[in-house]
Amino acid sequence: MADLVYPPIIGAARTLFRALDIKLEVIGAENVPRSGGAVLVSNHVSYLDFIFAGWGALKAGGRKTRFMAKDDVFRHRISGPLMRGMKHIPVDRSDGQPAYEAAVRALKAGEVVGVFPEATISRSFTLKKFKTGAARMAADAGVPLLPMALWGTQRFWTKGRPKELTRRHTPVTIIIGEPIHITAADRPVMVTRRLRAAMTELIDRAQTTYPDSPSGPDDTWWQPAHLGGSAPTLEVAEAEDEKENAEKAARRAARAEAEQQARNG
């Protein structure tokens, strides 16, 4: 089936990049295979990462990425039709097996599937723990893993900060590493460690070569603590995530109880 939604979305993104004069640098596009399936694996520092990660693959011979994303996005009245039209893959976090199987089918059909193995945005802007799903999918489909690093995207919109979607002249660095090929004998846990190590190197490179720096003491929030920034450390960020998750779970439980009471009337 032809892509009817993806091309106009790409055109809109290109227009927006130009209007905001975003300084995009894509490094390593030659590492994306021109055909065949691949699992594109990126760090996650912004709500807009799927746009920029997809752009990196697009610069490599026009490859369109099908991202795995939580199913809430697909139920939204605006984003839902767009996500479905671009053939992204909804993930139900209470039962991820259908999404996993859909991703493997897409990979075997020659698609590039995008994954954020940290599952959620990193408040510390450093890598969180990885889930092994990307490695398992690549092994099951017989395709390579493509490690990617994004940097600068957090300055537009990230967790705990107000949106700055109209920022102008902001550099964004996208680095795609060499493919990681997997054999049937490779254990997913060990492959995931290799993947994380490769992405750590790419992120370090992106950070140290990034052509911008904080404009003053109030602009250090987007820099990780180990580089002198005021972003929380990984330990503090994880504690904040746990608190947020507990609050969400409590709200879900309260809603479920209210609905049950309403049904019992």
Side-chain angles (χ1 to χ4, degrees):
M1 185 180 296
D3 272 308
L4 300 178
V5 177
Y6 226 132
I9 294 296
I10 292 169
R14 183 180 287 112
T15 299
L16 184 62
F17 293 164
R18 289 174 179 169
L20 298 178
D21 191 31
I22 296 176
K23 308 296 186 182
L24 278 164
E25 182 179 24
V26 179
I27 301 169
E30 68 279 3
N31 290 321
V32 180
R34 294 304 188 265
S35 63
V39 182
L40 183 68
V41 189
S42 173
N43 63 317
H44 203 6
V45 293
S46 168
Y47 290 107
L48 305 180
D49 284 340
F50 72 98
I51 296 175
F52 292 99
W55 187 261
L58 189 71
K59 298 297 287 184
R63 298 303 306 270
K64 299 181 181 69
T65 305
R66 317 299 176 179
F67 285 95
M68 302 184 75
K70 60 183 181 180
D71 56 0
D72 291 355
V73 182
F74 290 79
R75 291 196 294 266
H76 190 274
R77 63 184 182 86
I78 296 176
S79 63
L82 296 176
M83 295 293 283
R84 289 190 294 272
M86 288 185 282
K87 304 176 187 175
H88 295 315
I89 302 169
V91 180
D92 181 349
R93 291 188 177 177
S94 65
D95 180 12
Q97 189 61 30
Y100 181 90
E101 293 172 357
V104 171
R105 286 195 300 271
L107 291 166
K108 289 182 176 180
E111 299 278 10
V112 176
V113 172
V115 176
F116 298 104
E118 299 165 276
T120 60
I121 290 173
S122 172
R123 300 174 191 262
S124 68
F125 307 133
T126 59
L127 289 177
K128 301 171 63 175
K129 294 178 181 178
F130 277 23
K131 296 183 181 298
T132 60
R136 291 187 290 110
M137 283 191 301
D140 285 350
V143 302
L145 291 162
L146 291 175
M148 171 183 278
L150 300 174
W151 194 247
T153 61
Q154 72 271 32
R155 301 176 73 184
F156 293 100
W157 187 16
T158 193
K159 188 174 288 189
R161 296 287 305 184
K163 302 174 188 176
E164 295 188 61
L165 301 179
T166 57
R167 282 188 61 93
R168 293 178 56 80
H169 318 302
T170 304
V172 170
T173 301
I174 304 167
I175 306 180
I176 305 165
E178 295 182 1
I180 297 175
H181 296 279
I182 306 173
T183 69
D186 290 327
R187 294 172 54 200
V189 170
M190 300 307 296
V191 172
T192 300
R193 289 179 183 174
R194 286 170 53 198
L195 174 64
R196 196 177 189 281
M199 289 175 63
T200 298
E201 291 183 5
L202 295 178
I203 292 167
D204 288 345
R205 178 182 172 190
Q207 291 171 340
T208 56
T209 61
Y210 189 67
D212 206 356
S213 56
S215 59
D218 295 333
D219 190 41
T220 62
W221 64 267
W222 56 272
Q223 290 276 44
H226 73 275
L227 292 180
S230 56
T233 63
L234 182 59
E235 293 74 19
V236 170
E238 287 180 343
E240 292 177 357
D241 286 340
E242 289 177 4
K243 179 182 177 182
E244 181 181 74
N245 291 337
E247 291 171 349
K248 287 181 178 178
R251 288 196 296 269
R252 286 195 297 270
R255 284 198 300 270
E257 183 178 357
E259 290 170 359
Q260 184 62 43
Q261 290 176 350
R263 284 194 294 269
N264 294 338

